[in-house]
Amino acid sequence: DCSHLFEFPDNIDSLSKLRELRLDGSNVTWLPATIKCLQELEILSLNNCKFLETLPELPYSIKEFSADNCISLEFVSALNTLATKMVGKTKRISFNNSLKLSAGHTLHSIMESIHSTMVSAVSSNVMVRSYAIDVHSYNYNSVEVCLPGDTIPKQFAYKTEKSSSITIELPESPSNFLGFIYSVVLSPRHGMEKHGAKIRCEYNFARGKNSSWEDITISELNSDHVYIWYDPFLTDKILGQYGPSFHLKFSVATDTGS
């Protein structure tokens, strides 16, 4: 019953319009299940909540969610709600250094939810892309996720373990190409714990097409993490230079340059 949200009846009206909630560094151990009723909440930050143990289902309106350094967090309800009403949304989800999630069924459940969210974004963008050709305006969806662990989700069809690069054969017709979801495993090294990391993604095409770079910055990491992202504008670049194959090369650097 959403009428008993947070057990503060006098504040129900104001809470129902809440767009941003930051509880960073607090002693909170759990959030009420009725938080899913805050259907205008877009930003939820729980960084450094050392005693947080569980997370309930979140409202579909969330754009940015972070639970970094939540060292006691073990259980997270399915994040499937984030896959609904994706139009024009950039969803950023982070569990950096919340290491208890890396061992157990919860991380698998999160991966399944994230995959659903990204597939929803890809599907929505097919319609957005068709509409944008006529009106020259884009209302794309994109998704970025960082999780503790060292395993690429099973849903990824193209994988490489011994190399930082991969070549993928593209469908013959661009109309059959929907885009790529990308994932890399980041292992901590000198400077990454303090300065974080920057993922650099070089991509080029057959037939001598020019290459470009995409830079993605990740905050401080103290163990292996999996970073997953979907960038619709990169899909547009692939469609604009379409060829029989597509080559990706990844590299990682810290702000110290190492």
Side-chain angles (χ1 to χ4, degrees):
D1 182 359
C2 296
S3 64
H4 295 90
L5 186 62
F6 293 127
E7 298 183 357
F8 293 122
D10 293 338
N11 294 331
I12 291 301
D13 291 341
S14 59
L15 285 174
S16 66
K17 301 297 182 182
L18 189 66
R19 292 184 179 274
E20 182 173 342
L21 178 60
R22 296 186 181 273
L23 300 173
D24 300 338
S26 69
N27 293 329
V28 62
T29 59
W30 58 278
L31 297 178
T34 46
I35 194 171
K36 68 181 180 182
C37 299
L38 298 179
Q39 297 303 321
E40 294 193 28
L41 185 65
E42 296 183 341
I43 299 174
L44 176 58
S45 183
L46 302 168
N47 295 334
N48 302 303
C49 291
K50 307 295 186 182
F51 304 102
L52 182 66
E53 298 177 352
T54 66
L55 278 177
E57 182 178 328
L58 300 178
Y60 65 78
S61 54
I62 290 289
K63 291 182 179 179
E64 296 184 18
F65 171 79
S66 58
D68 297 349
N69 304 307
C70 294
I71 59 176
S72 300
L73 183 60
E74 291 189 81
F75 177 77
V76 177
S77 295
L79 301 176
N80 290 331
T81 52
L82 300 183
T84 61
K85 298 191 177 181
M86 284 288 295
V87 176
K89 300 291 180 72
T90 296
K91 304 251 179 176
R92 295 184 175 92
I93 304 164
S94 174
F95 289 95
N96 293 5
N97 303 321
S98 297
L99 301 184
K100 282 195 173 183
L101 290 177
S102 62
H105 178 73
T106 293
L107 187 61
H108 174 75
S109 176
I110 294 175
M111 289 286 195
E112 293 284 346
S113 299
I114 295 306
H115 181 257
S116 297
T117 300
M118 291 196 172
V119 170
S120 176
V122 172
S123 300
S124 296
N125 284 344
V126 172
M127 295 181 289
V128 172
R129 187 171 291 110
S130 299
Y131 180 70
I133 293 175
D134 296 327
V135 300
H136 305 290
S137 177
Y138 295 84
N139 200 23
Y140 276 147
N141 312 296
S142 61
V143 186
E144 302 172 14
V145 183
C146 193
L147 300 166
D150 60 2
T151 304
I152 297 295
K154 64 180 182 180
Q155 293 88 352
F156 283 76
Y158 302 99
K159 300 180 182 180
T160 178
E161 296 182 2
K162 297 181 179 180
S163 173
S164 60
S165 62
I166 188 171
T167 299
I168 300 171
E169 299 297 320
L170 297 176
E172 290 187 9
S173 172
S175 62
N176 295 325
F177 177 73
L178 301 181
F180 288 120
I181 298 171
Y182 307 89
S183 180
V184 298
V185 175
L186 300 171
S187 295
R189 60 188 188 187
H190 177 70
M192 195 176 291
E193 296 92 340
K194 181 178 180 180
H195 301 286
K198 179 174 287 187
I199 303 172
R200 306 201 75 191
C201 174
E202 180 184 11
Y203 52 93
N204 51 63
F205 304 83
R207 303 172 182 167
K209 300 293 185 179
N210 294 330
S211 62
S212 301
W213 288 90
E214 293 291 323
D215 287 343
I216 302 166
T217 301
I218 312 297
S219 62
E220 297 87 346
L221 302 176
N222 56 28
S223 68
D224 288 353
H225 279 68
V226 180
Y227 187 78
I228 311 168
W229 75 101
Y230 163 64
D231 181 354
F233 292 102
L234 180 51
T235 299
D236 281 353
K237 291 178 182 179
I238 296 174
L239 289 170
Q241 305 179 55
Y242 204 80
S245 63
F246 174 65
H247 182 77
L248 285 164
K249 182 178 180 180
F250 298 97
S251 60
V252 179
T254 66
D255 287 342
T256 61
S258 60

